[in-house]
């Protein structure tokens, strides 16, 4: 097992520590794992002198243990991720173990005065983004608005206990994907990551500001959230079949039609039919422009019967017609 012990008191020291441990010859902002330990990288950015952005994107090739030591500062750690961990409390630490059970993307909020042990077994794939808010940053929020401080304290106190209830919102999920799996051929510098880190942080503060007893994230039915994501995956895996309808999807999710429809739209910012049609169009784009299939063949495979409607929907989404023309 490979073991790493660190804290979040200073980003430069943290970055230097992992570079010395993993990638001493590296020259870019990504700290790459040696092959015997992992495939992928860690990456660290300063959004400001008081706010850090940390990116984890790797597959473990050995058993790993990360020990985040507590520090005597009221720093706040936001952890967005799309992999599964189980949690338990051990004295003053949070013990996190990788699990192969299904979980949707989620966020938790931690106090840096509480340490953490994370156990990652060989073969685990880790995709996460962490934002560290130094106490010098959060202090101004607490001074301006005591309600904000109370809401933040509630998040910290409960988030590791109700981790399955902190699913990522649609915007958080999109920003998370852009940060963890970006299109590198279009990225010029670290400002890309900093800008998206700022946007992700904004979504957190909006949640904190609007948080009240009637809008508590801890009231979310975690099983239903999981079922929504399972239905999303079902739709993605059945693009060559006709859309089965909202009623049938609600039955598959073990939810009422109204509750299913509303929760699906809250998570994905689209109705189930819109989600299905957008995924179909994305698949059509890949088959036409990447795989070189004929437009008529793609339409038949994806159950498009009206050529005019297909061309119009394709153009509205991609600003190009499926035959490659930019205008009629």
């Amino acid at each position: 097992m490979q073991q790493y012990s660190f804290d979040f008191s200073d980003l430069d020291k943290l970055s230097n520590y992992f570079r010395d441990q993993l990638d001493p010859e590296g020259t870019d902002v990504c700290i790459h794992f040696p092959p015997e330990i992992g495939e992928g990288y860690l990456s660290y950015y300063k959004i400001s002198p008081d706010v850090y952005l940390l990116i984890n994107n790797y597959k473990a090739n050995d058993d790993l243990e990360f020990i985040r030591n507590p520090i005597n500062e009221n720093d706040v750690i936001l952890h967005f991720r799309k992999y599964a961990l189980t949690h338990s409390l051990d004295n003053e630490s949070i013990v996190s173990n990788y699990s192969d059970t299904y979980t949707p993307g989620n966020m938790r909020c931690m106090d840096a005065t509480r340490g953490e042990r994370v156990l990652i077994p060989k073969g685990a794939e880790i995709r996460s983004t962490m934002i560290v808010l130094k106490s010098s940053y959060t202090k101004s929020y607490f001074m301006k608005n005591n309600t904000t401080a109370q809401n933040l304290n509630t998040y910290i106190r409960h988030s590791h206990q109700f981790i399955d209830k902190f699913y990522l919102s649609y915007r958080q999920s999109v920003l998370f994907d852009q940060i963890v799996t970006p299109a590198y051929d279009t990225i010029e510098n670290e400002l890309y990551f900093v800008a998206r880190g700022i946007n992700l942080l904004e979504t957190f503060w909006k949640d904190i500001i609007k948080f009240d007893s009637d809008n508590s994230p801890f009231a979310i039915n975690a099983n239903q959230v999981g079922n929504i994501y399972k239905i999303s995956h079902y739709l993605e895996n059945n693009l060559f079949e006709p859309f089965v309808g909202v009623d049938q999807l609600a039955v598959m999710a073990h939810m009422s039609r109204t509750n299913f429809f509303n929760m699906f739209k809250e998570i994905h910012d689209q109705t189930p039919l819109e989600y299905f049609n957008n995924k179909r169009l994305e698949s059509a784009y890949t088959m036409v422009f990447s795989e070189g299939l004929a437009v008529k063949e793609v339409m038949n495979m994806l159950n498009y019967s009206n050529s005019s409607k297909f061309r119009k929907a394709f153009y509205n989404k991609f600003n190009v017609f499926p035959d490659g023309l930019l205008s009629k």
Side-chain angles (χ1 to χ4, degrees), residues 238-291:
N238 288 274
L239 298 178
F240 301 114
E241 302 296 331
F243 182 69
V244 299
V246 174
D247 290 338
Q248 179 61 30
L249 294 176
V251 171
M252 294 166 59
H254 306 290
M255 299 168 64
S256 71
R257 187 188 193 283
T258 300
N259 193 21
F260 167 78
F261 185 89
N262 291 339
M263 184 173 286
F264 191 102
K265 190 170 183 180
E266 177 185 353
I267 291 175
H268 292 297
D269 200 34
Q270 303 172 81
T271 68
L273 180 58
E274 289 170 341
Y275 184 90
F276 180 76
N277 285 336
N278 276 316
K279 292 299 180 182
R280 277 204 306 169
L281 287 171
E282 291 169 8
S283 181
Y285 185 97
T286 299
M287 288 191 286
V288 169
F289 292 116
S290 296
E291 301 175 13

Side-chain angles (χ1 to χ4, degrees), residues 133-151:
L133 309 177
K134 302 298 292 181
S135 57
S136 53
Y137 170 87
T138 58
K139 183 178 180 180
S140 61
Y141 284 88
F142 294 160
M143 293 177 64
K144 291 178 182 177
N145 190 332
N146 190 50
T147 301
T148 300
Q150 292 176 350
N151 290 349

Side-chain angles (χ1 to χ4, degrees), residues 192-250:
Y192 174 96
F193 296 98
V194 172
R196 279 151 183 78
I198 292 172
N199 290 339
L200 190 59
L201 180 58
E202 288 175 349
T203 69
F204 165 74
W205 280 119
K206 287 180 179 178
D207 286 345
I208 292 293
I209 291 173
K210 72 180 183 181
F211 174 71
D212 55 43
S213 59
D214 295 328
N215 189 32
S216 170
F218 309 111
I220 294 170
N221 186 314
N223 290 331
Q224 291 184 349
V225 172
N227 287 342
I228 292 293
Y229 278 91
K230 289 177 182 178
I231 294 300
S232 307
H233 294 157
Y234 168 83
L235 292 174
E236 293 172 17
N237 292 328
N238 288 274
L239 298 178
F240 301 114
E241 302 296 331
F243 182 69
V244 299
V246 174
D247 290 338
Q248 179 61 30
L249 294 176

